[in-house]
Amino acid sequence: MKKSIFTLFVILVVLNKQFFSQSEDTVVNKNIELIIESQFYPRLNLNIIEPSLKFRVLFNNNHILRSNWSIYSYNNKKEILENSGDGVGYVETINQNYNITIGYEYVINKEKLSPYLGFELIAGWGKIEEYGSRTDSLTFISDLNYSSKIPTNKIGLGVFSGIDIIVFEDMYIGTEIGIQYIVNHQKRGEYKVEDASSTPPSISLPIEARDIKQLGMSSVGVIRLGWKF
């Protein structure tokens, strides 16, 4: 994570020099526009929440620095019924991720359409948790409870291309598609079992850390709505 923060800092310094440095032959236009954008992914699963807010800073009509902040929250709870009785247990699964990206866009400005392409660095953190009450996750057991907790973080790089469609003077809609390479790191977690009928009644076991590497498409189906200030 420290390496990723240092990399983000270096890129910002380089971009800062590009946009704000002046020489005898080149004068940079200092007109700056702030763009705030919300993004939506049409979902049929009502238990998935994925709000996203993007900030874009436009320099010299063609260059944009951007930062995207998003939250992914998944919560699923299901009942475990006793086979021959009225007992009820449940299993609850929680998956939460908080993501931040910092990137650069090159924009081709036209009258109503503004296509762009660029790259971004990705960082994030979150958790994967599961809780079982009166169950072993498959069958009802009246005196058994368990839980598993795994903290996570991620780092990655993405390239993308998109388009803005001007609706009004300071408002646009658009979409985007890209490719991302992400390394998800699941830190060492804990699995805990509480069984009142056993000795000892509580057992705690470590969950091994692991890295998951992913290469795939990003922003497929996203609907973007932005406002210029």
Side-chain angles (χ1 to χ4, degrees):
M1 185 61 71
K2 291 182 180 179
K3 291 182 179 179
S4 65
I5 295 173
F6 176 75
T7 304
L8 291 175
F9 175 77
V10 170
I11 287 183
L12 286 176
V13 170
V14 172
L15 292 175
N16 182 68
K17 289 182 178 180
Q18 176 182 352
F19 294 135
F20 294 106
S21 61
Q22 296 184 359
S23 64
E24 296 179 358
D25 299 324
T26 305
V27 178
V28 177
N29 185 350
K30 292 187 177 180
N31 292 330
I32 297 175
E33 287 188 76
L34 173 63
I35 305 169
I36 298 178
E37 180 181 303
S38 55
Q39 299 184 143
F40 308 92
Y41 291 87
R43 300 279 191 182
L44 298 178
N45 302 35
L46 298 180
N47 58 343
I48 295 180
I49 302 174
E50 198 171 0
S52 179
L53 186 64
K54 182 186 291 179
F55 297 92
R56 303 166 82 195
V57 182
L58 175 63
F59 301 93
N60 201 27
N61 294 324
N62 296 107
H63 305 284
I64 289 180
L65 287 179
R66 71 186 228 172
S67 179
N68 191 41
W69 303 352
S70 63
I71 300 173
Y72 175 88
S73 179
Y74 171 80
N75 188 296
N76 183 51
K77 188 174 182 179
K78 66 176 181 179
E79 290 186 338
I80 305 293
L81 303 178
E82 188 177 9
N83 289 331
S84 56
D86 298 327
V88 179
Y90 71 87
V91 174
E92 183 176 16
T93 304
I94 300 171
N95 190 341
Q96 291 181 350
N97 287 288
Y98 303 88
N99 301 309
I100 297 177
T101 70
I102 296 178
Y104 165 77
E105 302 175 11
Y106 179 77
V107 182
I108 303 172
N109 283 301
K110 297 185 178 181
E111 185 176 352
K112 289 293 184 180
L113 302 178
S114 296
Y116 63 87
L117 53 86
F119 69 92
E120 62 186 355
L121 293 174
I122 304 159
W125 65 95
K127 64 180 181 179
I128 302 171
E129 298 182 351
E130 184 170 298
Y131 300 91
S133 175
R134 308 179 78 189
T135 181
D136 62 353
S137 80
L138 298 175
T139 59
F140 175 84
I141 304 174
S142 61
D143 51 4
L144 179 66
N145 301 310
Y146 75 91
S147 65
S148 66
K149 299 180 180 181
I150 303 172
T152 65
N153 59 45
K154 69 173 65 171
I155 186 70
L157 176 66
V159 294
F160 53 81
S161 178
I163 189 169
D164 299 339
I165 303 171
I166 307 302
V167 179
F168 301 109
E169 182 179 357
D170 296 319
M171 180 179 176
Y172 65 88
I173 61 172
T175 190
E176 183 177 294
I177 191 168
I179 299 175
Q180 291 181 346
Y181 176 75
I182 297 177
V183 178
N184 292 285
H185 178 60
Q186 295 184 359
K187 299 180 180 179
R188 181 176 295 180
E190 180 185 39
Y191 180 78
K192 188 175 182 179
V193 178
E194 296 178 354
D195 187 349
S197 62
S198 67
T199 303
S202 179
I203 299 174
S204 181
L205 300 172
I207 301 175
E208 295 180 351
R210 63 172 180 163
D211 287 336
I212 302 172
K213 299 177 181 179
Q214 297 176 313
L215 176 65
M217 305 295 293
S218 65
S219 301
V220 177
V222 68
I223 299 172
R224 303 166 41 247
L225 180 62
W227 299 265
K228 296 181 179 180
F229 294 89

